[in-house]
Amino acid sequence: MDYPLTVQHIFNRATRFFPHKEIVSRTETGMRRYTYADFGERVQRLASALTGLGIQPGQRVGTFGWNTYRHLELYFAVPCMGAVLHTLNVRLFTEQLEYIINDAEDQIIFVDADLVPVLEKAFGHIPTVKNFVIMGTPTEVTRLSPTLDYETLLSYSSPHYDWPELDENDAAAMCYTSGTTGNPKGVVYSHRSTFLHTMGACLADSLGITESDVVLPVVPMFHANAWGTPYAATLVGAKHVLPGRFLGAAPLVEMIEQERVTLLAGVPSIWIGLASHLERLSLEPETAQPDLSSVRIVPCGGSAIPPALMKTMDRFGLPMLHAWGMTETSPLASVARLSSHHLTLSESEQFAIRNKQGRVTPLVDCRVVDIATGQEVPWDGKSVGEIQVRGPWIARAYYHDEANNEKFMDGWLRTGDVATIDADGYLQIVDRTKDLVKSGGEWISSVELENMIMAYPKVLEAAVIGVPHPVMQERPVAYVVAKPEFEGQITPDEILDYLRPQVAKWWLPDEVLFIEAVPKTSVGKFSKRELRDLYAAQKSAATAS
Ligand code: AMP
């Protein structure tokens, strides 16, 4: 049968088969719980409300919120009624936010009450937005206008909505890249791509989400659709645990323990914070240690997992699953699961494989291409090239930029990630093209250096950037954050002595500089752009003085 693959199927199945399963959401006043049945009714009320407000099929509905049950309701009501969910990154600079809202022509924006002051800064510069719907109670009077209250809107709207017949190629959602240069670029996901990506995420050799899982996405719902976990968990009827804005290590531990979370998803910086918290707790024998035994797996991507972090998480019974992808790939593109023939390998050999970015998931094709020659590199685990991918959930163009063929070439997406691929097809990312340090005609992997430095027991975070050099073109400089208990007790020489036996001499950073925290991007990655700016500012200040 020619059966359309739409988000409606995910919703209908979940509410029909799992009415008693729970959706739990952290709020200011504690955990709010309801069932898929309640959720189903509220999603239909929301769709009725949107129709009542004049939202037409294909129009963009913006969201400006944390991971909450209301955001989950929007994830379903908007695409199921034929409109397009546009999740806005709440950590963007106001100009970028304005650019994105205007580029997408959002008609209405749903905003969490505590984020109203952030969105207010864009008010007056986003003419397409006709209504602001506030989720929760703001503490102050807002300039946003006109405003509606989410709960009032739902209470007056019909709990029955007949979903329209949709074409599976209709747009369901869109996200903008967290691009560090130039304006962010829009990526549109169709119902079909979302559906297939959801199936891909649920495959046992992928994230393997099942009905018995309790899924806690720390990755924001505005970062590449929380990696598809809201749709995947709903399709299979898993219990959702949504952390709201409570993303610190202590509240996360509390939620894991109380709700018996089995699957956590987030970027490495979140787990660096959590692991450091657990390490500190373990040094306090009189403190009761948290019971995290329910956790089965911690999918992690967004940037490379430092091996030292993966080891610490293993030690606390939190096995990480390395995954790779990008906004343009929906985002799940590869996952590092061990294959059956790896099971006879030693623990350290298995660890090395788990630490790679893994194999592309079924339906994603990949090739690793030598940028200079345009030829595919051999699958030898050594030759380096750019990862290029294609598949039914890989973007074919940017929104409003369909002519851009720099990133999209001969039906392939050029990811800008440089990697090796081994005989089994496991990718290992060496760096992003623009972060590789080009030293005297050779490349130095900033990721490898960072991983080594972060393996030093006194180090919490490390980020390496290439800085201009008159002879060598670029040289590596390391910014290092000490663990709180070792603050002020590490020296640059100590780091260099630690690195010396592990790397070629020319890989050693020219400078090791200590900072309080590595600046992060809006989605929690190390911000190399900010570090380059910081370095330039430090140098010009030093020259001036
Ligand atoms: P974004 O679109 O913001 O999710 O960023 C996508 C980029 O994050 C990719 O192109 C990679 O450079 C990086 N990335 C994502 N996952 C990983 C990973 N597991 N290891 C290394 N880099 C990653």
Side-chain angles (χ1 to χ4, degrees):
M1 282 180 203
D2 194 5
Y3 184 85
L5 309 179
T6 69
V7 174
Q8 292 170 349
H9 177 82
I10 304 178
F11 174 83
N12 292 338
R13 179 173 196 279
T15 48
R16 182 81 185 85
F17 284 85
F18 311 106
H20 306 297
K21 293 299 294 281
E22 267 189 312
I23 296 168
V24 181
S25 201
R26 176 100 186 213
T27 68
E28 311 299 318
T29 52
M31 300 304 278
R32 187 189 192 285
R33 315 176 163 268
Y34 68 3
T35 62
Y36 273 43
D38 304 326
F39 162 78
E41 189 196 309
R42 283 170 60 91
V43 167
Q44 292 179 73
R45 283 183 185 275
L46 178 54
S48 307
L50 285 166
T51 305
L53 289 167
I55 297 298
Q56 300 291 318
Q59 287 187 327
R60 268 72 62 206
V61 172
T63 64
F64 199 71
W66 304 109
N67 294 7
T68 67
Y69 63 104
R70 292 182 177 125
H71 210 161
L72 190 69
E73 288 160 8
L74 283 154
Y75 257 59
F76 284 88
V78 176
C80 287
M81 66 165 291
V84 182
L85 176 84
H86 176 203
T87 50
L88 294 158
N89 183 330
V90 308
R91 301 202 188 98
L92 287 184
F93 291 116
T94 309
E95 301 78 59
Q96 280 190 330
L97 189 61
E98 287 168 11
Y99 172 83
I100 287 177
I101 295 170
N102 292 331
D103 191 59
E105 296 169 73
D106 291 340
Q107 300 295 304
I108 183 168
I109 297 180
F110 287 73
V111 50
D112 272 339
D114 64 309
L115 292 170
V116 165
V118 186
L119 188 59
E120 256 176 4
K121 293 189 196 141
F123 186 62
H125 302 275
I126 42 176
T128 60
V129 183
K130 299 187 186 69
N131 284 295
F132 297 90
V133 181
I134 301 185
M135 302 185 282
T137 315
T139 45
E140 292 188 22
V141 179
T142 174
R143 274 196 314 122
L144 294 179
S145 168
T147 58
L148 298 157
D149 171 61
Y150 188 88
E151 292 303 326
T152 313
L153 200 57
L154 258 58
S155 67
Y156 286 114
S157 303
S158 165
H160 303 290
Y161 195 97
D162 289 328
W163 300 131
E165 209 170 288
L166 298 176
D167 184 318
E168 64 177 15
N169 292 308
D170 287 345
M174 72 184 303
C175 285
Y176 280 73
T177 59
S178 51
T180 45
T181 46
N183 280 321
K185 298 178 188 72
V187 177
V188 177
Y189 309 113
S190 67
H191 278 267
R192 176 186 159 83
S193 75
T194 306
F195 192 93
L196 291 171
H197 180 263
T198 306
M199 298 286 285
C202 290
L203 289 176
D205 281 336
S206 171
L207 301 189
I209 301 179
T210 71
E211 187 272 339
S212 53
D213 271 314
V214 180
V215 178
L216 192 165
V218 185
V219 50
M221 287 167 93
F222 57 76
H223 182 200
N225 287 328
W227 303 345
T229 53
Y231 291 126
T234 308
L235 175 74
V236 297
K239 172 176 162 183
H240 292 255
V241 179
L242 299 165
R245 62 178 181 82
F246 304 93
L247 303 174
L252 285 179
V253 165
E254 201 180 288
M255 284 182 265
I256 297 169
E257 273 196 297
Q258 274 178 13
E259 304 300 333
R260 305 297 295 156
V261 171
T262 62
L263 185 147
L264 293 151
V267 294
S269 61
I270 290 284
W271 311 123
I272 290 177
L274 181 78
S276 158
H277 173 77
L278 294 175
E279 272 185 322
R280 263 175 285 141
L281 278 182
S282 70
L283 298 175
E284 300 167 8
E286 68 285 359
T287 310
Q289 300 299 308
D291 174 9
L292 306 177
S293 59
S294 58
V295 178
R296 184 171 73 69
I297 205 137
V298 184
C300 178
S303 45
I305 304 181
L309 170 67
M310 201 154 172
K311 282 191 184 134
T312 313
M313 293 283 280
D314 275 351
R315 200 151 53 73
F316 288 110
L318 301 170
M320 301 184 88
L321 176 65
H322 204 177
W324 164 79
M326 54 206 298
T327 305
E328 293 87 333
T329 65
S330 288
L332 191 63
S334 79
V335 176
R337 292 251 184 206
L338 293 180
S339 293
S340 51
H341 68 280
H342 293 139
L343 299 179
T344 50
L345 297 178
S346 70
E347 210 177 304
S348 65
E349 287 167 323
Q350 288 187 3
F351 182 87
I353 294 162
R354 284 176 56 212
N355 202 245
K356 293 186 176 197
Q357 277 72 9
R359 276 191 176 126
V360 285
T361 55
L363 291 184
V364 176
D365 265 352
C366 85
R367 60 182 191 186
V368 179
V369 174
D370 182 316
I371 299 166
T373 65
Q375 299 299 310
E376 240 187 285
V377 305
W379 287 27
D380 58 9
K382 289 197 289 274
S383 308
V384 170
E386 180 185 43
I387 310 176
Q388 301 184 355
V389 286
R390 63 181 181 189
W393 61 76
I394 311 297
R396 85 167 163 257
Y398 288 122
Y399 185 63
H400 281 166
D401 196 16
E402 280 75 9
N404 182 344
N405 49 16
E406 215 173 83
K407 281 291 269 197
F408 304 93
M409 204 186 49
D410 317 328
W412 292 85
L413 165 71
R414 302 181 55 181
T415 64
D417 287 325
V418 177
T420 60
I421 185 163
D422 67 18
D424 290 322
Y426 283 67
L427 293 161
Q428 180 155 31
I429 292 185
V430 176
D431 223 327
R432 295 190 83 141
T433 328
K434 52 182 189 266
D435 292 335
L436 276 168
V437 184
K438 290 128 205 130
S439 172
E442 301 276 357
W443 285 351
I444 297 173
S445 158
S446 67
V447 174
E448 247 181 88
L449 275 179
E450 286 161 10
N451 285 345
M452 285 180 210
I453 302 172
M454 283 191 275
Y456 189 56
K458 295 183 186 174
V459 170
L460 184 67
E461 294 177 339
V464 171
I465 53 166
V467 302
H469 187 279
V471 181
M472 305 300 284
Q473 187 185 355
E474 276 185 347
R475 287 295 300 150
V477 165
Y479 278 96
V480 176
V481 181
K483 284 188 178 160
E485 57 275 30
F486 295 109
E487 226 175 277
Q489 294 175 44
I490 330 183
T491 62
D493 281 344
E494 201 176 332
I495 301 283
L496 294 173
D497 289 345
Y498 176 73
L499 289 177
R500 211 161 268 124
Q502 305 184 62
V503 297
K505 203 166 159 223
W506 58 278
W507 270 54
L508 281 180
D510 277 10
E511 288 174 81
V512 176
L513 303 164
F514 289 96
I515 42 175
E516 261 175 40
V518 174
K520 312 285 184 317
T521 68
S522 61
V523 290
K525 306 181 193 197
F526 291 169
S527 174
K528 304 236 169 155
R529 186 179 49 77
E530 275 183 69
L531 283 177
R532 286 188 198 106
D533 292 349
L534 173 69
Y535 185 82
Q538 285 174 330
K539 286 295 131 181
S540 68
T543 323
S545 61

